[in-house]
Amino acid sequence: MRDFTQGEVRREFDEGFPGVTGTQRITVVGAGLAGLGAAYELVRRGYEVTVLEARNRPGGRAYTLRSPFVDGLFAEAGAMTVTPGCHYTRHYLTEFNLALDQSDLVDTQFGFYTGSRYVGSDASSISEADLGLNDEEKGLGAWDLRDRYVKEFYTELMPDIAQDSWEPSERIRPFDQMTVWDALKGRGASDAAIDLLEPLFNEMTGGELRACSALSWLRLESGSHALGNSQGWAKIKGGTDMLPRAFATRLSGLIHYGKPVVGIEQNETGVRTTYLDGGRPMTILSDRLVLAVPFSAVRRIDLSRAALSAEKDASIRRLRYMSIVRVYLQMRKQFWDGTNIALSTDLPIKWVRDATPHQAGPRKILEAYVTGWRARMLSAMSEEERVQFVLDQIESVLPGARENFEVGTSVAWDTERYNEGGFILPEVGHSDLMPTIRQPEGRIHFAGEHAGYEPNGGAMTFALESAARTVLEIASTEVAA
Ligand SMILES: Cc1cc2nc3c(=O)[nH]c(=O)nc-3n(C[C@H](O)[C@H](O)[C@H](O)COP(=O)(O)OP(=O)(O)OC[C@H]3O[C@@H](n4cnc5c(N)ncnc54)[C@H](O)[C@@H]3O)c2cc1C
């Protein structure tokens, strides 16, 4: 089977997959964006597609919470931002006539809350707060520190760090053997500076600075998904779930909800998939299968007769995911000063933000976006305990929270049965793992954010890109089928 490069996938996709057509029966496991993207493109090209989805909704981590809120308020539990570099996401938004609005993460009123006081991100506020910066760092603001330790770092590694196709050169490969923490320490950053910097690249490291590959992080920071560069960032108007729902409408009748796959077998002639239907095991036969499920959830599927290579087996067991908990509190009214606040605190919840800065009505939703060990702690709480804990914490930063609180909810991605984690955590050595993760195994093809060409997770566009790759892989087998 052909091994497609990132550039080839992009070109074939942009040209509408010229010449791709087939009649094979394809089972797609998972109706997240990767599974939906693959199913949508294959159906249009003649393939006989069946999608098996464990949950009762499409979208997986593209998930908008509309309940228990009132007044039409909603909040994103997973994906929320579409950057200018989200090529595949933007393509489908245009195709399905879905509109974009400016991201809530643009023009935030960002600051720190540390030692029971508010500290702005500018140089004089940080200097006044005396947080323990070293002599070289004194007098710098948070964004200056970012320039010093992040921008200057990846700029020195240009052009290698920003090459089109991700395959580390000898020059940058060593950074894949060190953590973000060690790399920053190696540049002379004090602990206090790292604390101030971390929220500015929170998404990538997810609180896992001591595990995340410095190379993966630098790659992200040098590209259009970097948190430090929010220019052109957008969100899907009306909620992120509009995108998976648009796919699902077009695949109506082909997606079977509430059907968790529990086993996959393959031989030279086909694939046999076992799934549960109302608690009863059922099987479906197909020529090929697209496994569009995160590896954390794949680990629960019996693959002992799937004839996978030892390398694939090891990568399925090894890939880690970020721990992320998002807690939402609906407030009767805005009781704090400022608009679109985003606070990085030294509390166990870390982030507090206004999750509805541009939604209409007097009510608001405050969100705690919690990652890493803090998220693992919150994951161990019951839903009720989690909401109460976050409310108590927020009260100490924004007095009046308790008085205005109406209702709360949360999503702990570690405990979501069909995810068991947020997005991928590219650990030290991740660049060696990547080709194995996406490599097809016989009649089984691997799609999903984790199976992208880029070493960073956390983007719908990577899930959709991986779907496009599986379409080309399947088409390349058509003659031999
Ligand atoms: C907190 C958070 C914030 C994020 N922020 C952004 C952002 O701002 N912008 C952005 O672009 N992306 C963001 N992402 C990432 C984005 O949501 C994901 O990369 C993308 O949605 C992943 O799609 P996927 O199809 O690979 O996986 P998923 O969405 O996880 O889909 C997998 C599907 O497989 C199903 N499944 C699992 N096991 C089985 C089984 N045994 N049988 C059948 N079905 C099964 C699941 O139910 C699910 O529907 C964020 C993610 C999280 C968690």
Side-chain angles (χ1 to χ4, degrees):
M1 194 181 309
R2 275 198 56 199
D3 183 18
F4 293 90
T5 65
Q6 188 173 23
E8 279 175 319
V9 173
R10 172 89 168 244
R11 197 174 53 246
E12 296 290 317
F13 178 82
D14 286 351
E15 290 173 7
F17 299 108
V20 171
T21 168
T23 54
Q24 296 183 67
R25 291 165 304 162
I26 314 289
T27 302
V28 175
V29 185
L33 285 173
L36 291 168
Y40 176 71
E41 296 298 349
L42 287 166
V43 166
R44 294 165 88 200
R45 289 166 177 82
Y47 292 89
E48 196 184 315
V49 175
T50 304
V51 184
L52 297 171
E53 166 56 49
R55 292 185 169 103
N56 289 317
R57 62 167 177 89
R61 284 168 281 172
Y63 180 30
T64 307
L65 293 176
R66 296 173 188 279
S67 138
F69 312 122
V70 298
D71 296 348
L73 288 177
F74 59 89
E76 301 298 351
M80 57 197 268
T81 310
V82 179
T83 70
C86 289
H87 181 76
Y88 294 86
T89 307
R90 284 176 180 265
H91 169 99
Y92 286 112
L93 291 173
T94 306
E95 182 159 334
F96 301 154
N97 264 323
L98 294 173
L100 285 169
D101 272 342
Q102 177 173 279
S103 161
D104 294 341
L105 301 183
V106 178
D107 293 337
T108 58
Q109 195 174 319
F110 171 73
F112 299 93
Y113 181 90
T114 176
S116 308
R117 67 205 150 142
Y118 177 80
V119 178
S121 59
D122 58 293
S124 64
S125 305
I126 288 178
S127 178
E128 219 169 275
D130 194 15
L131 300 172
L133 296 176
N134 65 33
D135 288 346
E136 314 245 300
E137 296 160 347
K138 281 194 174 128
L140 299 179
W143 294 98
D144 307 321
L145 287 166
R146 183 185 182 276
D147 282 351
R148 183 190 180 95
Y149 290 120
V150 186
K151 197 168 170 194
E152 282 178 23
F153 198 173
Y154 68 69
T155 306
E156 281 170 25
L157 299 175
M158 292 286 186
D160 304 42
I161 199 76
Q163 62 210 346
D164 275 354
S165 165
W166 173 258
E167 177 56 50
S169 65
E170 288 315 306
R171 182 172 163 236
I172 59 173
R173 190 175 279 279
F175 293 105
D176 197 30
Q177 293 306 321
M178 68 176 78
T179 65
V180 175
W181 177 269
D182 289 339
L184 287 170
K185 280 289 173 192
R187 307 279 294 184
S190 65
D191 290 9
I194 296 178
D195 269 355
L196 288 170
L197 275 175
E198 206 250 317
L200 309 182
F201 52 78
N202 189 57
E203 189 112 325
M204 175 56 164
T205 58
E208 305 285 1
L209 272 71
R210 293 170 196 258
C212 183
S213 151
L215 183 59
S216 299
W217 162 68
L218 286 162
R219 170 80 175 170
L220 178 94
E221 288 299 320
S222 65
S224 66
H225 299 287
L227 265 189
N229 171 20
S230 61
Q231 219 178 3
W233 280 22
K235 63 177 181 183
I236 299 173
K237 192 175 177 152
T240 300
D241 63 352
M242 306 282 283
L243 180 57
R245 278 161 53 187
F247 273 114
T249 306
R250 287 157 180 85
L251 291 167
S252 159
L254 302 181
I255 308 176
H256 302 272
Y257 294 104
K259 308 279 184 292
V261 167
V262 293
I264 298 167
E265 300 166 40
Q266 67 167 327
N267 61 25
E268 307 75 50
T269 57
V271 187
R272 175 192 292 268
T273 305
T274 305
Y275 62 95
L276 298 182
D277 184 357
R280 286 208 334 268
M282 308 285 281
T283 57
I284 179 171
L285 299 176
S286 57
D287 299 305
R288 300 200 159 263
L289 177 138
V290 177
L291 188 51
V293 167
F295 276 4
S296 42
V298 169
R299 294 195 273 264
R300 289 192 179 258
I301 299 175
D302 178 27
L303 297 172
S304 57
R305 281 170 290 177
L308 301 185
S309 65
E311 293 76 28
K312 178 71 84 182
D313 217 31
S315 70
I316 290 172
R317 275 184 278 112
R318 186 177 141 190
L319 187 65
R320 273 185 71 194
Y321 284 76
M322 305 284 190
S323 298
I324 303 175
V325 176
R326 301 181 77 164
V327 184
Y328 311 87
L329 309 179
Q330 179 181 294
M331 297 290 162
R332 189 169 296 116
K333 62 175 190 303
Q334 175 169 343
F335 58 88
W336 58 89
D337 294 331
T339 47
N340 201 358
I341 55 159
L343 289 175
S344 171
T345 75
D346 56 358
L347 302 170
I349 52 169
K350 191 92 175 171
W351 270 101
V352 180
R353 60 179 288 267
D354 180 350
T356 50
H358 305 298
Q359 290 184 39
R363 290 189 162 85
K364 292 285 207 181
I365 299 173
L366 283 175
E367 174 186 359
Y369 187 107
V370 191
T371 61
W373 66 267
R374 298 175 177 91
R376 288 188 279 278
M377 179 180 69
L378 262 74
S379 297
M381 298 178 187
S382 69
E383 169 79 9
E384 209 179 18
E385 288 168 343
R386 208 179 283 149
V387 168
Q388 188 58 49
F389 181 77
V390 168
L391 179 58
D392 291 344
Q393 296 289 315
I394 291 186
E395 176 71 29
S396 67
V397 196
L398 300 174
R402 273 200 206 101
E403 196 188 320
N404 286 283
F405 172 71
E406 291 184 320
V407 65
T409 189
S410 70
V411 173
W413 285 101
D414 278 5
T415 60
E416 281 288 305
R417 177 71 176 83
Y418 296 107
N419 278 97
E420 304 191 26
F423 35 82
I424 61 162
L425 195 179
E427 287 190 290
V428 163
H430 188 70
S431 63
D432 292 334
L433 203 63
M434 282 194 301
T436 315
I437 292 174
R438 64 171 181 267
Q439 185 62 35
E441 299 269 338
R443 294 172 173 274
I444 305 177
H445 303 263
F446 293 82
E449 157 218 274
H450 57 290
Y453 289 92
E454 297 280 334
N456 46 77
M460 300 181 282
T461 203
F462 298 133
L464 293 165
E465 179 197 60
S466 74
R469 172 181 46 73
T470 61
V471 171
L472 292 173
E473 286 171 2
I474 290 170
S476 78
T477 69
E478 190 58 30
V479 182

Short mmCIF file of all heavy atoms in Angstrom, two decimals, residues 298-331:
data_model
loop_
_atom_site.label_atom_id
_atom_site.label_comp_id
_atom_site.label_asym_id
_atom_site.label_seq_id
_atom_site.Cartn_x
_atom_site.Cartn_y
_atom_site.Cartn_z
N VAL A 298 -9.00 2.73 21.90
CA VAL A 298 -8.67 1.51 21.14
C VAL A 298 -8.18 0.42 22.11
O VAL A 298 -8.43 -0.77 21.90
CB VAL A 298 -7.59 1.81 20.07
CG1 VAL A 298 -7.04 0.52 19.46
CG2 VAL A 298 -8.16 2.72 18.97
N ARG A 299 -7.53 0.86 23.18
CA ARG A 299 -6.99 -0.12 24.14
C ARG A 299 -8.08 -0.99 24.76
O ARG A 299 -7.80 -2.02 25.35
CB ARG A 299 -6.20 0.61 25.24
CG ARG A 299 -4.93 1.29 24.72
CD ARG A 299 -3.96 1.69 25.82
NE ARG A 299 -4.20 2.99 26.40
CZ ARG A 299 -3.57 4.14 26.03
NH1 ARG A 299 -2.65 4.11 25.08
NH2 ARG A 299 -3.84 5.28 26.62
N ARG A 300 -9.32 -0.57 24.65
CA ARG A 300 -10.44 -1.36 25.19
C ARG A 300 -11.06 -2.29 24.16
O ARG A 300 -12.00 -3.02 24.46
CB ARG A 300 -11.53 -0.42 25.72
CG ARG A 300 -11.11 0.29 26.99
CD ARG A 300 -12.31 0.95 27.62
NE ARG A 300 -11.94 1.62 28.84
CZ ARG A 300 -12.17 1.13 30.04
NH1 ARG A 300 -12.75 -0.04 30.19
NH2 ARG A 300 -11.82 1.81 31.11
N ILE A 301 -10.58 -2.21 22.92
CA ILE A 301 -11.12 -3.09 21.86
C ILE A 301 -10.21 -4.30 21.75
O ILE A 301 -8.98 -4.17 21.77
CB ILE A 301 -11.18 -2.31 20.52
CG1 ILE A 301 -12.10 -1.10 20.65
CG2 ILE A 301 -11.62 -3.23 19.39
CD1 ILE A 301 -12.14 -0.20 19.41
N ASP A 302 -10.79 -5.49 21.61
CA ASP A 302 -9.98 -6.70 21.49
C ASP A 302 -9.38 -6.75 20.08
O ASP A 302 -10.10 -6.90 19.09
CB ASP A 302 -10.83 -7.94 21.74
CG ASP A 302 -9.99 -9.20 21.55
OD1 ASP A 302 -8.76 -9.13 21.75
OD2 ASP A 302 -10.56 -10.25 21.19
N LEU A 303 -8.06 -6.64 20.02
CA LEU A 303 -7.37 -6.66 18.72
C LEU A 303 -6.44 -7.87 18.62
O LEU A 303 -5.56 -7.91 17.78
CB LEU A 303 -6.55 -5.36 18.55
CG LEU A 303 -7.37 -4.07 18.51
CD1 LEU A 303 -6.46 -2.85 18.53
CD2 LEU A 303 -8.25 -4.02 17.26
N SER A 304 -6.67 -8.84 19.49
CA SER A 304 -5.73 -9.97 19.54
C SER A 304 -5.76 -10.77 18.23
O SER A 304 -4.81 -11.47 17.91
CB SER A 304 -6.03 -10.87 20.74
OG SER A 304 -7.37 -11.30 20.69
N ARG A 305 -6.87 -10.67 17.47
CA ARG A 305 -6.91 -11.38 16.17
C ARG A 305 -6.96 -10.39 15.00
O ARG A 305 -7.49 -10.68 13.95
CB ARG A 305 -8.11 -12.32 16.14
CG ARG A 305 -7.79 -13.62 16.93
CD ARG A 305 -9.00 -14.46 17.13
NE ARG A 305 -9.92 -13.81 18.06
CZ ARG A 305 -11.11 -14.29 18.38
NH1 ARG A 305 -11.54 -15.40 17.86
NH2 ARG A 305 -11.88 -13.65 19.24
N ALA A 306 -6.39 -9.21 15.26
CA ALA A 306 -6.37 -8.19 14.20
C ALA A 306 -5.05 -8.22 13.43
O ALA A 306 -4.86 -7.43 12.50
CB ALA A 306 -6.59 -6.81 14.79
N ALA A 307 -4.16 -9.13 13.80
CA ALA A 307 -2.88 -9.30 13.10
C ALA A 307 -2.11 -7.98 12.98
O ALA A 307 -1.61 -7.62 11.91
CB ALA A 307 -3.12 -9.91 11.72
N LEU A 308 -2.00 -7.26 14.09
CA LEU A 308 -1.25 -6.00 14.08
C LEU A 308 0.24 -6.30 14.29
O LEU A 308 0.60 -7.28 14.94
CB LEU A 308 -1.73 -5.07 15.19
CG LEU A 308 -3.20 -4.67 15.18
CD1 LEU A 308 -3.47 -3.64 16.29
CD2 LEU A 308 -3.61 -4.08 13.83
N SER A 309 1.07 -5.42 13.75
CA SER A 309 2.50 -5.57 13.97
C SER A 309 2.83 -5.28 15.44
O SER A 309 2.07 -4.60 16.13
CB SER A 309 3.27 -4.60 13.08
OG SER A 309 2.98 -3.28 13.48
N ALA A 310 3.98 -5.77 15.88
CA ALA A 310 4.40 -5.52 17.26
C ALA A 310 4.58 -4.02 17.49
O ALA A 310 4.27 -3.50 18.57
CB ALA A 310 5.71 -6.26 17.54
N GLU A 311 5.03 -3.30 16.45
CA GLU A 311 5.26 -1.84 16.59
C GLU A 311 3.94 -1.12 16.80
O GLU A 311 3.83 -0.22 17.63
CB GLU A 311 5.94 -1.26 15.33
CG GLU A 311 7.35 -1.73 15.08
CD GLU A 311 7.42 -3.15 14.53
OE1 GLU A 311 6.45 -3.56 13.85
OE2 GLU A 311 8.42 -3.84 14.79
N LYS A 312 2.93 -1.53 16.01
CA LYS A 312 1.62 -0.87 16.17
C LYS A 312 1.05 -1.15 17.56
O LYS A 312 0.55 -0.26 18.25
CB LYS A 312 0.66 -1.37 15.09
CG LYS A 312 -0.74 -0.78 15.19
CD LYS A 312 -0.80 0.68 14.81
CE LYS A 312 -0.91 0.79 13.30
NZ LYS A 312 -0.94 2.19 12.87
N ASP A 313 1.14 -2.40 17.93
CA ASP A 313 0.65 -2.81 19.24
C ASP A 313 1.30 -1.96 20.34
O ASP A 313 0.61 -1.45 21.24
CB ASP A 313 1.04 -4.28 19.43
CG ASP A 313 -0.03 -5.03 20.16
OD1 ASP A 313 -1.20 -4.68 20.00
OD2 ASP A 313 0.34 -5.94 20.92
N ALA A 314 2.60 -1.78 20.22
CA ALA A 314 3.34 -1.01 21.24
C ALA A 314 2.90 0.45 21.21
O ALA A 314 2.75 1.09 22.26
CB ALA A 314 4.84 -1.12 20.99
N SER A 315 2.68 1.01 20.01
CA SER A 315 2.30 2.42 19.94
C SER A 315 0.90 2.63 20.52
O SER A 315 0.63 3.65 21.16
CB SER A 315 2.40 2.96 18.51
OG SER A 315 1.39 2.41 17.70
N ILE A 316 0.02 1.66 20.32
CA ILE A 316 -1.34 1.78 20.89
C ILE A 316 -1.24 1.80 22.41
O ILE A 316 -1.91 2.58 23.08
CB ILE A 316 -2.24 0.61 20.41
CG1 ILE A 316 -2.54 0.77 18.92
CG2 ILE A 316 -3.54 0.53 21.22
CD1 ILE A 316 -3.26 -0.40 18.28
N ARG A 317 -0.35 0.97 22.95
CA ARG A 317 -0.23 0.92 24.41
C ARG A 317 0.49 2.14 24.97
O ARG A 317 0.24 2.58 26.07
CB ARG A 317 0.48 -0.36 24.84
CG ARG A 317 -0.50 -1.53 24.96
CD ARG A 317 0.12 -2.80 25.48
NE ARG A 317 0.80 -3.53 24.43
CZ ARG A 317 2.12 -3.71 24.35
NH1 ARG A 317 2.90 -3.20 25.27
NH2 ARG A 317 2.65 -4.39 23.36
N ARG A 318 1.39 2.73 24.15
CA ARG A 318 2.26 3.79 24.69
C ARG A 318 1.67 5.20 24.63
O ARG A 318 1.94 6.03 25.51
CB ARG A 318 3.58 3.76 23.89
CG ARG A 318 4.60 4.71 24.46
CD ARG A 318 5.92 4.64 23.74
NE ARG A 318 6.47 5.99 23.61
CZ ARG A 318 7.51 6.30 22.87
NH1 ARG A 318 8.12 5.38 22.17
NH2 ARG A 318 7.94 7.54 22.81
N LEU A 319 0.88 5.50 23.61
CA LEU A 319 0.46 6.90 23.40
C LEU A 319 -0.33 7.45 24.59
O LEU A 319 -1.34 6.87 24.99
CB LEU A 319 -0.38 7.00 22.12
CG LEU A 319 -0.73 8.42 21.69
CD1 LEU A 319 0.52 9.20 21.29
CD2 LEU A 319 -1.73 8.40 20.53
N ARG A 320 0.14 8.58 25.11
CA ARG A 320 -0.55 9.18 26.25
C ARG A 320 -1.45 10.34 25.80
O ARG A 320 -1.23 10.93 24.75
CB ARG A 320 0.46 9.73 27.26
CG ARG A 320 0.93 8.70 28.26
CD ARG A 320 1.84 9.34 29.29
NE ARG A 320 1.12 10.22 30.22
CZ ARG A 320 1.73 11.08 31.03
NH1 ARG A 320 3.04 11.20 31.01
NH2 ARG A 320 1.04 11.85 31.84
N TYR A 321 -2.41 10.65 26.64
CA TYR A 321 -3.33 11.76 26.37
C TYR A 321 -3.31 12.76 27.51
O TYR A 321 -3.03 12.40 28.66
CB TYR A 321 -4.76 11.21 26.16
CG TYR A 321 -4.93 10.58 24.79
CD1 TYR A 321 -4.40 9.33 24.51
CD2 TYR A 321 -5.55 11.26 23.76
CE1 TYR A 321 -4.50 8.78 23.24
CE2 TYR A 321 -5.67 10.71 22.49
CZ TYR A 321 -5.14 9.47 22.24
OH TYR A 321 -5.24 8.93 20.98
N MET A 322 -3.59 14.01 27.19
CA MET A 322 -3.64 15.07 28.19
C MET A 322 -4.85 14.86 29.12
O MET A 322 -5.93 14.52 28.65
CB MET A 322 -3.86 16.44 27.53
CG MET A 322 -2.86 16.80 26.47
SD MET A 322 -1.31 17.27 27.23
CE MET A 322 -0.45 17.91 25.78
N SER A 323 -4.64 15.12 30.38
CA SER A 323 -5.76 15.14 31.32
C SER A 323 -6.35 16.55 31.29
O SER A 323 -5.65 17.52 31.56
CB SER A 323 -5.28 14.82 32.73
OG SER A 323 -4.74 13.53 32.77
N ILE A 324 -7.62 16.65 30.94
CA ILE A 324 -8.28 17.97 30.88
C ILE A 324 -9.67 17.86 31.49
O ILE A 324 -10.44 16.96 31.15
CB ILE A 324 -8.41 18.48 29.42
CG1 ILE A 324 -7.03 18.54 28.75
CG2 ILE A 324 -9.10 19.85 29.38
CD1 ILE A 324 -7.07 18.91 27.28
N VAL A 325 -9.96 18.79 32.40
CA VAL A 325 -11.31 18.88 32.96
C VAL A 325 -11.81 20.29 32.73
O VAL A 325 -11.09 21.26 32.98
CB VAL A 325 -11.32 18.58 34.48
CG1 VAL A 325 -12.72 18.78 35.07
CG2 VAL A 325 -10.84 17.17 34.77
N ARG A 326 -13.02 20.40 32.22
CA ARG A 326 -13.61 21.73 32.02
C ARG A 326 -14.88 21.80 32.86
O ARG A 326 -15.76 20.95 32.73
CB ARG A 326 -13.90 21.99 30.53
CG ARG A 326 -12.63 21.88 29.70
CD ARG A 326 -12.87 22.14 28.22
NE ARG A 326 -13.03 23.56 27.95
CZ ARG A 326 -12.95 24.08 26.71
NH1 ARG A 326 -12.74 23.31 25.65
NH2 ARG A 326 -13.09 25.37 26.52
N VAL A 327 -14.93 22.81 33.72
CA VAL A 327 -16.08 22.96 34.62
C VAL A 327 -16.75 24.30 34.30
O VAL A 327 -16.08 25.32 34.15
CB VAL A 327 -15.64 22.94 36.10
CG1 VAL A 327 -16.84 22.99 37.03
CG2 VAL A 327 -14.81 21.68 36.39
N TYR A 328 -18.08 24.27 34.20
CA TYR A 328 -18.84 25.46 33.78
C TYR A 328 -19.85 25.83 34.84
O TYR A 328 -20.62 24.98 35.29
CB TYR A 328 -19.59 25.18 32.47
CG TYR A 328 -18.70 24.57 31.43
CD1 TYR A 328 -18.52 23.19 31.38
CD2 TYR A 328 -18.00 25.37 30.54
CE1 TYR A 328 -17.67 22.63 30.46
CE2 TYR A 328 -17.15 24.80 29.60
CZ TYR A 328 -16.99 23.44 29.58
OH TYR A 328 -16.15 22.87 28.67
N LEU A 329 -19.86 27.09 35.20
CA LEU A 329 -20.80 27.57 36.20
C LEU A 329 -21.65 28.68 35.59
O LEU A 329 -21.10 29.72 35.16
CB LEU A 329 -20.05 28.11 37.42
CG LEU A 329 -18.98 27.20 38.04
CD1 LEU A 329 -18.32 27.90 39.23
CD2 LEU A 329 -19.57 25.87 38.49
N GLN A 330 -22.94 28.45 35.53
CA GLN A 330 -23.82 29.51 35.01
C GLN A 330 -24.08 30.53 36.12
O GLN A 330 -24.47 30.16 37.23
CB GLN A 330 -25.13 28.90 34.53
CG GLN A 330 -26.11 29.94 33.98
CD GLN A 330 -27.41 29.29 33.55
OE1 GLN A 330 -27.44 28.52 32.60
NE2 GLN A 330 -28.49 29.60 34.26
N MET A 331 -23.86 31.80 35.79
CA MET A 331 -24.04 32.89 36.75
C MET A 331 -25.25 33.75 36.36
O MET A 331 -25.47 33.99 35.17
CB MET A 331 -22.78 33.77 36.78
CG MET A 331 -21.54 33.03 37.24
SD MET A 331 -21.69 32.65 38.99
CE MET A 331 -20.45 31.36 39.17
#
